[in-house]
Amino acid sequence: MAITDPAAFITANTRLQPVPHAPEISLWLADEVTPIWRLTEEELGEMGVAPPFWAFAWAGGQALARYLLDHPREVAGKRVLDFAAGSGLVGIAAMKAGAASVLCADIDPFCEAAVQANASANDVRLDFTDRNLLDAEPPQVDVICAGDICYEKPMTEAVLAWLARARARGTRVLIGDPGRTYFPRSGLDFLAEYRVPTTRELEDQEIKRSSVWVFA
């Protein structure tokens, strides 16, 4: 049965809880006591729900959120794009750090409801688009934040090329990553490293070293 109310589905299947490495922020997340945690990919597919990446606080996003909260001058007063936003964690951190505006972008149709629910829970405003931004030139923003984007080789290459175009136009590009296989080894400057609590259901370690980088 297809889900007709994504917002109701999210609040019924996740719970509001602090983000482990950015406890100033609370998100509607899945864990072992929530219904969605026990649903298989096949069961989700029957309901018309893609793998719910929006229901987890991924390590790279947590690192990037922590960095923005600790270094608010990166985004204060600026226009920010949270690319592949998922839950909206990084966008929320940017607004809490004083960003003038944040546009969250994700092609998952459930992400808009997740982002808006999480924005409301944290008393911030986030704009949202489900357009595939890779199909056009990067938008006119001051900062692009991208967490956990290096999972698959073709997509990583496409995203990095797009981000490089944004950097060439003067946009500051920040990336949060826990050492994924396809993370680039050149063209970036190191900013910070964190030990991010996670779970073995998501990662290969309960504490994941995750770093924040900026396009050189």
Side-chain angles (χ1 to χ4, degrees), residues 14-20 22-23 25-31 33-34 55:
T14 61
R15 67 184 180 94
L16 189 63
Q17 52 191 292
V19 174
I25 296 171
S26 291
L27 301 177
W28 289 94
L29 300 174
D31 60 25
V33 302
T34 60

Side-chain angles (χ1 to χ4, degrees), residues 41-118:
E41 189 170 338
E42 181 179 352
E43 290 171 326
L44 288 166
E46 291 174 353
M47 293 187 291
V49 180
F53 299 118
W54 45 264
F56 302 97
W58 298 91
Q62 288 198 56
L64 191 45
R66 182 74 266 155
Y67 180 78
L68 295 181
L69 292 169
D70 292 345
H71 302 85
R73 62 183 176 275
E74 285 278 11
V75 293
K78 297 176 181 177
R79 300 164 299 165
V80 178
L81 170 65
D82 180 5
F83 180 81
S87 66
L89 167 59
V90 176
I92 292 168
M95 288 301 292
K96 284 185 171 290
S101 63
V102 173
L103 173 63
C104 291
D106 204 296
I107 59 174
D108 186 328
F110 271 75
C111 281
E112 181 172 12
V115 165
Q116 296 306 333
N118 290 327

Side-chain angles (χ1 to χ4, degrees), residues 174-206:
L174 303 174
I175 295 180
D177 188 87
R180 304 289 182 206
T181 300
Y182 300 111
F183 184 73
R185 301 295 182 239
S186 62
L188 301 170
D189 291 333
F190 173 81
L191 293 177
E193 182 180 85
Y194 303 97
R195 293 173 57 83
V196 179
T198 181
T199 170
R200 286 192 177 273
E201 278 77 12
L202 298 179
E203 303 284 2
D204 56 355
Q205 299 170 321
E206 293 182 355

